[in-house]
Amino acid sequence: MTPVVQAQSIHKRFGRLEVLKGIDFEVAPREVACLIGPSGSGKSTLLRCINHLEKINAGRLYVDGHLVGYREHGGKLYELREREIAQQRKDIGMVFQRFNLFPHMTALENVMEAPVQVRRANKATARDHARELLDRVGLADKERSYPAQLSGGQQQRVAIARALAMEPKLMLFDEPTSALDPELVGDVLGVMRQLAKDGMTMIVVTHEMQFAREVADKVVFMDEGVVVEEGPPDRVISEPRHERTRGFLARVL
Ligand code: ADP
Ligand code: MG
């Protein structure tokens, strides 16, 4: 089976600062990978490269078997055009730490927006689908609410529904619960847990080790731009092989 994500020795620099220093990483269909590691280790940058928000400087990065941002021809790489990039990106859903909902739109309108604007979906169909998605994230009764009228946890669940509206093949989560009050974290993780059960392929950057232990198929520990170790959650979290992993876990557990 073609991996959904395949990173082969990818490098990313910002000016002189090398942030990703040869990352190898794979996610199979229906797999849930939790990405852990200290602040500044390059986790967000890796997600942003996968989602075309940053360009890698070296290596190869494939999503669904296609090179991200480039076409390969006769051993040479050609940059894709905006349209082709948009085409690749629409199969990827991303949820950020901050919810980024459109403040002037209701929950329902937020979820309908991309299918109607990007995919030219029929409005009535998009509305029905958006209602199903709000129901799925436990917010059927909030479709008329504006973001400011919702708690952070509810806003984050709307953001998840909005990402799902484009029927992505891959969902990326960048610390989706770090900005939430502790009592609101559980509902968001519950939605993500259900999504994983339903077979979504997911990469989740998180400090929630209990979630990683229960939901992840694999845990990947990054530090200073490299993958230090990866493996099944119980193995990595309970019996880390590297000193750096042990040090990190001692700080977050
Ligand atoms: P993490 O998500 O693991 O905390 P990041 O990927 O956000 O790490 O950042 C890794 C490093 O890259 C940090 O040193 C950060 O300051 C730097 N960095 C991230 N984005 C940029 C950018 N656009 N320009 C310059 N430096 C950046
Ligand atoms: Mg980050």
Side-chain angles (χ1 to χ4, degrees):
M1 243 188 308
T2 314
V4 177
V5 176
Q6 195 171 22
Q8 298 173 341
S9 192
I10 64 174
H11 290 254
K12 174 67 190 174
R13 282 186 304 272
F14 293 109
R16 285 213 200 126
L17 179 68
E18 189 170 41
V19 173
L20 302 180
K21 304 172 183 169
I23 299 275
D24 289 288
F25 173 68
E26 238 178 68
V27 185
R30 306 173 76 86
E31 199 170 36
V32 177
C34 279
L35 210 53
I36 64 172
S39 175
S41 55
K43 306 178 299 295
S44 295
T45 302
L46 176 58
L47 290 193
R48 292 170 59 81
C49 289
I50 294 170
N51 198 23
H52 300 80
L53 295 168
E54 302 287 354
K55 279 203 165 135
I56 62 172
N57 300 109
R60 289 280 193 275
L61 178 59
Y62 299 89
V63 171
D64 217 25
H66 300 288
L67 262 182
V68 172
Y70 297 92
R71 187 175 334 95
E72 197 160 17
H73 187 75
K76 280 192 178 157
L77 294 185
Y78 299 90
E79 288 196 16
L80 293 184
R81 286 183 254 266
E82 280 303 316
R83 277 183 68 111
E84 297 168 305
I85 290 173
Q87 193 63 25
Q88 285 191 339
R89 280 194 76 193
K90 75 176 184 25
D91 287 335
I92 305 174
M94 187 152 176
V95 175
F96 300 88
Q97 185 172 347
R98 292 263 154 219
F99 333 117
N100 300 317
L101 297 176
F102 302 116
H104 58 292
M105 292 184 191
T106 65
L108 189 71
E109 288 164 350
N110 264 281
V111 179
M112 290 171 58
E113 176 70 6
V116 170
Q117 295 305 325
V118 181
R119 241 211 232 142
R120 306 275 163 221
N122 169 286
K123 261 202 171 170
T125 313
R127 188 176 296 114
D128 287 348
H129 189 213
R131 287 204 166 107
E132 273 169 41
L133 289 168
L134 284 176
D135 188 36
R136 192 163 158 197
V137 300
L139 295 173
D141 56 334
K142 298 289 182 195
E143 65 167 67
R144 290 164 188 274
S145 301
Y146 286 88
Q149 300 168 320
L150 298 171
S151 74
Q154 290 169 335
Q155 289 183 55
Q156 195 60 306
R157 285 184 282 150
V158 175
I160 295 173
R162 187 176 63 173
L164 292 174
M166 290 295 278
E167 302 184 310
K169 292 184 184 148
L170 169 67
M171 285 283 285
L172 307 175
F173 293 89
D174 195 354
E175 301 198 32
T177 60
S178 329
L180 300 178
D181 292 332
E183 74 273 20
L184 304 177
V185 168
D187 288 339
V188 173
L189 292 180
V191 166
M192 293 167 62
R193 188 176 278 127
Q194 187 57 47
L195 201 54
K197 265 196 196 141
D198 294 342
M200 178 60 76
T201 308
M202 298 167 45
I203 305 176
V204 184
V205 175
T206 186
H207 296 297
E208 297 285 341
M209 291 303 139
Q210 194 53 37
F211 175 84
R213 212 187 262 282
E214 288 168 22
V215 179
D217 297 297
K218 71 172 165 200
V219 169
V220 179
F221 173 67
M222 275 179 70
D223 193 16
E224 296 184 6
V226 298
V227 171
V228 175
E229 66 178 298
E230 66 165 77
D234 280 332
R235 213 279 295 146
V236 175
I237 297 170
S238 306
E239 306 157 47
R241 289 180 184 154
H242 290 263
E243 192 47 51
R244 284 200 268 173
T245 319
R246 282 195 283 275
F248 171 75
L249 289 169
R251 290 195 299 277
V252 297
L253 285 177

